[in-house]
Amino acid sequence: MEQKKLLMCYGKTSFTPGRYLEDAFRNIGVKVDVFTSFIDFSQIALDEYIAVLFIESPSLPPVRVKQINLVNIPKIFFINHGENRLTTNIQLAHYYQADLVLMAHSLHLAKHFPVPAEFFPFAMAKDIFNNPALLQNRPVDITSIGTLDPALYKNRIQAIEKIKEKFHADYRLSFHKRVFLHDLAKAYGESKLVINHAADNIKSLNLRIFEGIGCGSLLLTDEVPKLDTLLEDGKHLVLFDSDQDLLEKIEYYLTHVDEAQIIATAGYQHLLKHHTYEHRAKALLNRIEKGL
């Protein structure tokens, strides 16, 4: 059987959904050719490929294209930001002449795109964020990693300050602004609890949800749209709705680590069974083979 081939066009870095999805396609047996800055489709044997997948890469310039009008295979654009990059992503959807837009979150924005847009959430990068170590053996009690820009994360900053005030004397805490890839996986894998707090005004799914649970920690998070379609509160993770609720739940689960372990393990196993990037790659491959 001839190996399936996929074109991927994105500004590649080592810790983006594009990189994780590229790895996943290779893991399921798809050959991937990647263009990171420019592609001239008149120089590509398009009949060898099943589709072209463009991926939003905010940290690098968009991939420039030439002769995209020659592309007669599905053109898909995967975006992973919402309101803060809406105008740019609409422009890119036009530029890439996308047939389908995949959205990691923020489905309420789908109406703004010129073609159908579907939910295609983040997932567990199981080659990196994968740690089933028991909570009782982990040296850190509470970890939070993420940007602390007061323009976007006043609620996160406030919550962290309250956590420090209440728990610093009795528990080991770990807070970081910028940690990536294997260092990030190590930090989560050493912690019993991982705290996730979305931005103040843009409530959306983020990578931290899948990274924390994938590393076997108990994830405590505020609620964001579509989360309940992927994971269940009290079964796979724990939701909080205020700072006081968060503090109470932290205290409860740190003094009931056996219960925390049950939820953390269920979340970890649920991701492995349903929500890895290999699952996303297989779903997209099936979508392509059905003609979009």
Side-chain angles (χ1 to χ4, degrees):
M1 181 182 296
E2 186 176 357
Q3 185 181 30
K4 295 180 176 66
K5 294 176 67 176
L6 176 71
L7 278 170
M8 290 185 69
C9 301
Y10 72 107
K12 185 173 180 177
T13 69
S14 60
F15 48 86
T16 61
R19 177 266 168 102
Y20 303 147
L21 192 56
E22 178 189 337
D23 289 349
F25 272 112
R26 290 200 170 97
N27 289 343
I28 66 170
V30 176
K31 177 176 172 55
V32 182
D33 289 334
V34 180
F35 290 78
T36 60
S37 59
F38 172 76
I39 182 169
D40 181 351
F41 286 105
S42 69
Q43 304 300 310
I44 303 295
L46 289 167
D47 57 348
E48 296 181 4
Y49 298 92
I50 57 173
V52 184
L53 177 59
F54 298 96
I55 301 179
E56 177 193 9
S57 306
S59 63
L60 293 170
V63 174
R64 294 178 296 111
V65 300
K66 184 177 180 181
Q67 301 278 38
I68 197 167
N69 57 297
L70 299 178
V71 180
N72 57 0
I73 56 177
K75 301 180 294 294
I76 303 163
F77 181 32
F78 175 35
I79 66 174
N80 44 69
H81 287 77
E83 285 91 340
N84 57 327
R85 282 183 53 87
L86 178 60
T87 299
T88 297
N89 284 330
I90 292 171
Q91 293 170 347
L92 288 173
H94 283 285
Y95 180 61
Y96 294 139
Q97 298 180 19
D99 300 304
L100 176 67
V101 170
L102 302 177
M103 303 183 70
H105 52 75
S106 304
L107 267 292
H108 62 287
L109 302 177
K111 62 186 178 183
H112 296 286
F113 290 91
V115 295
E118 298 181 357
F119 187 41
F120 191 78
F122 300 128
M124 174 186 180
K126 65 182 180 65
D127 294 340
I128 302 169
F129 299 97
N130 188 343
N131 189 338
L134 294 176
L135 299 185
Q136 66 184 18
N137 297 329
R138 297 183 178 211
V140 178
D141 296 296
I142 308 168
T143 290
S144 177
I145 298 174
T147 302
L148 297 177
D149 181 349
L152 299 172
Y153 297 101
K154 288 182 181 178
N155 292 334
R156 179 185 293 176
I157 294 169
Q158 176 179 286
I160 288 175
E161 289 307 312
K162 290 183 177 180
I163 291 170
K164 289 178 179 178
E165 180 181 352
K166 183 174 178 64
F167 296 107
H168 79 277
D170 300 312
Y171 294 99
R172 184 174 175 186
L173 315 181
S174 177
F175 299 102
H176 304 275
K177 294 181 181 180
R178 297 179 65 81
V179 181
F180 301 105
L181 215 58
H182 296 287
D183 290 337
L184 180 60
K186 183 176 184 292
Y188 286 151
E190 291 180 343
S191 186
K192 297 178 179 69
L193 308 186
V194 166
I195 311 302
N196 178 54
H197 214 302
D200 296 344
N201 298 315
I202 303 177
K203 298 294 184 182
S204 61
L205 286 168
N206 57 35
L207 292 169
R208 191 178 301 106
I209 292 170
F210 300 92
E211 294 164 348
I213 297 175
C215 287
S217 302
L218 175 63
L219 182 81
L220 281 73
T221 181
D222 51 350
E223 189 166 9
V224 296
K226 302 294 283 187
L227 177 59
D228 61 351
T229 68
L230 305 173
L231 297 153
E232 185 176 337
D233 180 27
K235 182 176 181 180
H236 305 124
L237 46 65
V238 173
L239 296 180
F240 62 84
D241 58 18
S242 66
D243 287 349
Q244 184 59 36
D245 188 36
L246 173 60
L247 296 176
E248 290 174 0
K249 286 176 175 173
I250 288 173
E251 185 167 33
Y252 181 84
Y253 285 108
L254 286 180
T255 55
H256 296 79
V257 176
D258 54 337
E259 294 184 37
Q261 184 68 70
I262 291 170
I263 299 172
T265 298
Y268 169 79
Q269 292 177 344
H270 184 71
L271 290 193
L272 281 177
K273 188 175 181 180
H274 299 287
H275 297 296
T276 67
Y277 278 98
E278 284 74 16
H279 288 106
R280 302 288 184 261
K282 289 176 183 177
L284 184 52
L285 184 60
N286 183 57
R287 188 82 169 79
I288 293 167
E289 290 178 338
K290 288 183 176 179
L292 294 180

